[in-house]
């Protein structure tokens, strides 16, 4: 599956890094972004404008991700992409909440609002008391913490237990804070 990421500012670069270089093409309008993407060894196509002729330079892709820094250009890009490639999946970054409906009207399949994603992540962290306790321990208390991954033997009293079942007992006895439990068979 070939993915075309339109834009290579800081956000676009993070998206590209997450996706990896295989089957990824970076499409840029800016010379600085072109050089930056080339330096990072991405396959890059530079276009001069958001026009049908220029967009058609992109050979083949299955999914387009529009993350141009300029919101108006990004929206215009989405309109152009959906007009040229109505059956391709289109994901777009939206910086302003009030523009979401415009992107939806243009046919964008999925919207990413970085500010909303960040706020939701923070709320998820704060809603989980254990996570909050870990953050408080690390950030607010001046103590010597160390992290370790411990494999629980088959015959242990901890085998097959959930954090909620053992947290108070184990943390009190051994002066540890359990961050997570991973089932080795499932994770493999």
């Amino acid at each position: 599956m070939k993915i075309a990421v339109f834009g290579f500012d800081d956000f676009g670069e993070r998206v590209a890094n997450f996706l990896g270089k295989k089957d990824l093409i970076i499409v840029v309008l800016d010379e600085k972004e072109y050089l930056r993407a080339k330096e990072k060894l991405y396959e890059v196509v530079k276009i001069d404008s958001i026009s049908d002729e220029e967009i058609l330079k992109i050979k083949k892709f299955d999914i387009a991700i529009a993350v141009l820094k300029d919101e108006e250009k990004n929206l215009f890009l989405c309109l152009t992409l959906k007009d040229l490639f109505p059956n391709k999946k289109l994901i777009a970054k939206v910086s302003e909440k009030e523009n979401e409906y415009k992107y939806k009207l243009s046919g964008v399949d999925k919207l990413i609002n970085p500010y909303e994603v960040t706020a939701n992540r923070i709320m998820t962290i704060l809603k989980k008391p254990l996570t909050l306790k870990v953050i408080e321990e690390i950030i607010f208390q001046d103590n010597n913490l160390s992290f370790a991954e411990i494999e629980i033997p088959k015959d242990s009293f901890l085998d097959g237990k959930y954090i909620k079942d053992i947290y108070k007992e184990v943390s009190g006895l051994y002066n540890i804070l359990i961050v997570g439990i991973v089932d080795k068979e499932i994770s493999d």
Side-chain angles (χ1 to χ4, degrees):
M1 180 181 324
K2 189 88 165 177
I3 300 173
V5 175
F6 290 79
F8 201 73
D9 62 357
D10 291 338
F11 187 81
E13 185 175 351
R14 276 187 243 124
V15 169
N17 287 339
F18 179 77
L19 295 171
K21 290 184 173 105
K22 188 178 183 222
D23 296 324
L24 182 69
I25 184 168
I26 306 296
V27 183
V28 296
L29 290 147
D30 179 86
E31 185 66 27
K32 288 180 186 175
E33 288 185 5
Y34 175 80
L35 294 172
R36 186 170 156 189
K38 271 292 198 197
E39 182 182 295
K40 307 269 182 181
L41 304 176
Y42 285 100
E43 180 184 344
V44 188
V45 172
K46 184 174 182 309
I47 58 176
D48 296 319
S49 64
I50 302 170
S51 65
D52 294 2
E53 183 180 286
E54 289 291 304
I55 298 290
L56 289 170
K57 285 182 179 178
I58 296 111
K59 301 289 184 221
K60 185 181 176 185
F61 65 91
D62 302 298
I63 299 172
I65 303 175
V67 294
L68 298 179
K69 193 172 199 168
D70 183 298
E71 186 90 13
E72 289 177 16
K73 284 183 181 176
N74 204 49
L75 182 56
F76 184 66
L77 171 66
C78 291
L79 287 165
T80 306
L81 285 168
K82 268 304 180 181
D83 183 50
L84 293 173
F85 308 103
N87 298 323
K88 303 279 185 188
K89 185 167 181 120
L90 176 57
I91 301 167
K93 175 186 87 168
V94 58
S95 299
E96 298 176 26
K97 186 90 170 143
E98 58 270 8
N99 287 333
E100 286 183 6
Y101 79 97
K102 294 176 186 174
Y103 281 95
K104 288 178 184 175
L105 286 174
S106 73
V108 170
D109 299 293
K110 179 81 175 155
L111 290 173
I112 302 168
N113 184 329
Y115 305 108
E116 197 171 289
V117 170
T118 303
N120 288 339
R121 238 180 139 151
I122 290 168
M123 285 308 298
T124 300
I125 289 170
L126 294 176
K127 285 180 181 177
K128 297 186 179 202
L130 180 59
T131 307
L132 186 57
K133 184 170 172 118
V134 170
I135 290 170
E136 286 174 354
E137 289 281 330
I138 294 168
I139 296 173
F140 301 118
Q141 291 185 4
D142 185 21
N143 58 22
N144 295 326
L145 287 179
S146 61
F147 290 86
E149 183 176 322
I150 303 167
E151 189 170 329
I152 298 174
K154 276 252 186 249
D155 299 336
S156 170
F157 75 97
L158 298 172
D159 189 26
K161 302 277 174 99
Y162 293 100
I163 289 178
K164 66 180 182 176
D165 300 331
I166 61 169
Y167 178 74
K168 286 182 183 175
E169 180 182 350
V170 171
S171 62
L173 279 174
Y174 301 104
N175 195 26
I176 63 171
L177 179 64
I178 302 170
V179 176
I181 296 177
V182 177
D183 186 314
K184 185 153 175 56
E185 291 175 17
I186 293 172
S187 70
D188 286 343

